[in-house]
Amino acid sequence: MSGATPSRLVFSDVDETLIRAKSMFEFLDFYLAERHGPAGLERSAQVRAELLTQAAAGVPRADTNRTYYRIWAGAPVRHVALAGRRWFAAAVRDPRFFHADVLAALHAHRAAGAGLVLVSGAFAPIVDPIAEHVGAAHAECTRLVARNGRYTGEIIGEPVIGPAKGERVRALLRAYPAVSAANCYGYGDHLSDMPMLAEVGHPVIVGDDPGLRAGLPGAPVLAVA
């Protein structure tokens, strides 16, 4: 972020908080369909089924995220980035792509001088176009290892989910010592967002996750239909 120090930082999860979609699955559908047609969509459906089976069996989300990103091994970084922009350009034509009330809240924060920060387990080809669209100052997302212009399928550090979201919030707050955490906002829809929401003075729950409601009694709720 350049220029004046923001009045506050506003942190928002992406999937099922700012947008309605599960973006990692949606983008995989888009990318594989572009490259391989019906066979690509079939492969994407297989991946989705495998990951949902793992989740149902209790495999930690960090591990299922790593499994997802291994699918991208060998994919050209530049091609994936361009595909991400095409995916977003097509997806955003749907007026229901964004949760309208969350988007409106973020726009109001930004108009009041806040710096917006998207915090997501998705990777840059998905998150960067969304961040640009909403005017976010930072996109804290999962980054992948690349060699010779291609993804290796491995992650740099930890996936940005659960505790890693809290770590990203703390790091940015250290970078803006004049900004008080007590004055900052956070938006999330799932219990895995709790480490992020717990770092700010104004957590906002999006939807009806019982774990968040129990852990953040009294927090305002945007009950998105």
Side-chain angles (χ1 to χ4, degrees):
M1 183 183 299
S2 59
T5 299
S7 59
R8 61 171 58 94
L9 295 176
V10 176
F11 302 91
S12 178
D13 174 53
V14 175
D15 286 12
E16 299 183 296
T17 296
L18 176 57
I19 68 173
R20 295 177 183 273
K22 289 184 177 291
S23 64
M24 290 160 65
F25 288 143
E26 300 265 341
F27 179 52
L28 187 65
D29 285 348
F30 179 90
Y31 183 82
L32 290 180
E34 268 200 343
R35 294 182 66 84
H36 305 296
L41 280 175
E42 183 177 345
R43 172 58 179 151
S44 184
Q46 291 170 350
V47 169
R48 186 189 294 244
E50 176 187 352
L51 293 175
L52 290 175
T53 297
Q54 289 182 9
V59 175
R61 291 185 76 180
D63 292 340
T64 60
N65 269 37
R66 290 184 184 280
T67 299
Y68 171 88
Y69 285 119
R70 290 189 187 104
I71 298 159
W72 295 95
V77 173
R78 181 173 179 275
H79 290 180
V80 177
L82 292 173
R85 294 188 177 278
R86 291 193 298 274
W87 165 77
F88 176 72
V92 78
R93 294 189 193 116
D94 182 348
R96 286 177 56 81
F97 177 73
F98 286 103
H99 278 139
D101 46 0
V102 178
L103 182 62
L106 296 188
H107 281 166
H109 284 302
R110 186 165 179 255
L116 304 184
V117 183
L118 300 190
V119 187
S120 175
F123 66 152
I126 293 170
V127 179
D128 285 351
I130 298 172
E132 291 172 14
H133 183 86
V134 302
H138 297 277
E140 296 292 326
C141 61
T142 301
R143 304 285 172 175
L144 275 58
V145 177
R147 294 195 185 96
N148 300 318
R150 293 179 180 270
Y151 288 123
T152 68
E154 299 303 313
I155 292 172
I156 298 172
E158 295 296 319
V160 184
I161 57 176
K165 287 192 171 186
E167 292 168 6
R168 296 298 182 97
V169 170
R170 290 192 295 274
L172 268 179
L173 287 171
R174 287 195 297 270
Y176 293 96
V179 174
S180 168
N183 197 33
C184 294
Y185 283 71
Y187 292 79
D189 73 291
H190 189 269
L191 188 59
S192 62
D193 295 318
M194 179 66 84
M196 172 181 73
L197 300 178
E199 295 294 331
V200 300
H202 301 280
V204 179
I205 300 168
V206 178
D208 59 0
D209 184 278
L212 280 185
R213 291 195 180 217
L216 297 169
V221 177
L222 293 178
V224 183

